[in-house]
Amino acid sequence: MPNPRSAALTAVFLVMTMLASPGVAVAADADTVESLRREASKARSELEKATKQMQGRKKELAASQVKLRGTLKDLALAEAELNRIRAPLARLANSSYQHSGAVGSMSIFGGGDPGEALRSTADVTLLARSQQALVDRADELQSRRKRLASTAQELQSRNAVEQTRLQQDVDGLKTKSAQLTKQLNTMLDKLSVSRLKRLQLTCDEGLATEARQFPNGLIPAKYLCALPQKGHRLRADAALGFYKLNAAYKRRFGRDMCVTDAYRSLSEQHSVYARRPGFAAVPGTSNHGKGQALDLCGGIQNSGSVQFNWMEANARKYGWYHPAWAYSNPFEPWHWEFGTEGYE
């Protein structure tokens, strides 16, 4: 899938990779870790399945409610029309009984013209039939409305119960996943897996080839690897080289390297270019957008400093270079690139 793995299952990925990597000692705890890995993977699958089921039920309920609203709207229109007709019909029927000689069913027994009386009776009969048809239709619509309302109430109640149950299942699975992740992390700690090893295990060098297929500054997050410095990422091959460079630097200076910028998205490149036109690379051409460049601080940004000199003497061992242009045009001692000479 194009989206990154959930953070809650990062430890699962670590263990899966670690068990597949040669030379990583897991000793007698391997079976336990493998068991936990299987349980965590199962929990994730169940979580995804339960979530999809809940989303499906929500869609079904929403569709049902839309249909119900449409039906009730039609019924309301029919009832409104009946109400408009009922009053004049009632007045006409009442008038025919109360007034002698008036049109209506009683006029046939009066002293008026018999033919006229018959015509009047026929008219009233027609009106009565029309009225009865409307009343019958109203009864039918009202009965249907009651049935639909009852069905809707039952549907809503059942779905509410099912959604609550599903949400409880999802919450339970999330809790289980978190517990398993904690156990896995504890197990990894007992196995003395260093931070460097953890970073290496989560960064697949094979992703570098796929990352090259994307335009500058538009590399999806899943093809980039996190650095020890929070918030910074690089292409997989550059990151793996940096992990080792950073470890060597820490052994020498007692701290991680200071990073101000690493992978730079296209929008970030535009932002930098807007602030430094003529100095920053044209958006879409920066090596930062390829995920193979760093801007460093902590002393390295000062040419001739102890830190800068150490980088010049050691960075090439790990595939990192200070490009020739950065010595003069423009002068950027802080800018370092991976694979600039012989690696790309």
Side-chain angles (χ1 to χ4, degrees):
M1 295 178 66
N3 295 327
R5 291 180 180 272
S6 168
L9 296 173
T10 299
V12 179
F13 178 77
L14 294 179
V15 173
M16 293 172 66
T17 312
M18 182 178 69
L19 293 177
S21 301
V24 179
V26 293
D29 292 324
D31 291 341
T32 302
V33 175
E34 177 63 20
S35 176
L36 287 172
R37 183 194 65 79
R38 287 196 301 266
E39 289 184 29
S41 297
K42 180 181 178 181
R44 182 188 64 195
S45 297
E46 291 176 354
L47 173 60
E48 292 174 348
K49 181 179 179 180
T51 301
K52 289 180 180 179
Q53 288 177 341
M54 182 174 65
Q55 292 171 341
R57 285 187 171 89
K58 285 182 178 179
K59 290 181 180 179
E60 291 175 0
L61 177 59
S64 177
Q65 289 174 329
V66 169
K67 183 178 180 180
L68 175 60
R69 286 195 295 269
T71 302
L72 293 178
K73 181 179 180 180
D74 292 341
L75 291 177
L77 292 173
E79 290 175 352
E81 182 179 358
L82 177 59
N83 287 334
R84 288 194 299 269
I85 299 175
R86 182 180 293 131
L89 287 178
R91 287 196 297 270
L92 178 60
N94 184 58
S95 176
S96 67
Y97 280 99
Q98 291 185 3
H99 299 287
S100 176
V103 296
S105 60
M106 295 300 291
S107 65
I108 194 172
F109 300 105
D113 178 35
E116 188 67 28
L118 286 172
R119 283 193 295 273
S120 299
T121 301
D123 291 341
V124 172
T125 300
L126 181 60
L127 290 172
R129 287 176 180 173
S130 298
Q131 179 187 22
Q132 186 61 48
L134 287 173
V135 171
D136 291 344
R137 177 59 176 165
D139 289 342
E140 178 187 346
L141 292 174
Q142 289 171 349
S143 298
R144 184 183 174 195
R145 185 182 189 281
K146 289 180 180 179
R147 291 195 301 271
L148 285 171
S150 177
T151 300
Q153 184 177 6
E154 179 183 353
L155 178 64
Q156 290 170 338
S157 298
R158 183 172 68 250
N159 276 273
V161 171
E162 289 182 357
Q163 287 183 11
T164 299
R165 185 182 298 116
L166 280 169
Q167 188 59 52
Q168 290 174 343
D169 292 343
V170 169
D171 291 341
L173 288 169
K174 287 181 178 179
T175 299
K176 180 179 179 181
S177 178
Q179 291 173 343
L180 287 168
T181 299
K182 183 178 180 180
Q183 294 174 15
L184 286 166
N185 281 327
T186 300
M187 181 63 67
L188 289 172
D189 290 339
K190 289 182 179 179
L191 293 173
S192 299
V193 179
S194 66
R195 183 186 65 168
L196 174 60
K197 179 60 67 176
R198 285 174 184 254
L199 288 168
Q200 291 172 331
L201 292 176
T202 57
C203 186
D204 180 4
E205 187 172 7
L207 294 176
T209 300
E210 298 180 50
R212 290 188 180 94
Q213 300 175 4
F214 294 92
N216 186 301
L218 297 175
I219 303 175
K222 70 170 292 182
Y223 298 109
L224 300 170
C225 297
L227 303 186
Q229 293 75 6
K230 187 176 181 180
H232 295 294
R233 298 170 297 167
L234 286 174
R235 199 175 66 191
D237 52 349
L240 289 167
F242 178 76
Y243 296 155
K244 297 176 181 178
L245 173 63
N246 184 72
Y249 183 92
K250 189 173 183 178
R251 287 193 296 271
R252 170 61 179 85
F253 295 101
R255 60 181 181 276
D256 286 322
M257 298 177 71
C258 178
V259 177
T260 60
D261 206 0
Y263 170 72
R264 192 180 291 165
S265 68
L266 188 59
S267 61
E268 291 170 335
Q269 292 181 49
H270 278 283
S271 177
V272 172
Y273 187 79
R275 295 194 304 269
R276 301 173 58 202
F279 293 94
V282 174
T285 66
S286 171
N287 277 339
H288 284 283
K290 297 179 182 179
Q292 61 174 113
L294 288 170
D295 286 347
L296 303 175
C297 45
I300 298 175
Q301 77 277 15
N302 298 318
S303 179
S305 67
V306 175
Q307 293 84 357
F308 181 87
N309 290 340
W310 183 91
M311 283 288 292
E312 282 197 315
N314 296 276
R316 288 172 177 262
K317 301 174 185 177
Y318 308 102
W320 285 88
Y321 298 84
H322 187 237
W325 62 261
Y327 281 98
S328 57
N329 186 29
F331 179 56
E332 294 186 3
W334 56 83
H335 183 89
W336 295 75
E337 296 179 357
F338 178 83
T340 301
E341 299 179 18
Y343 278 76
E344 278 291 307

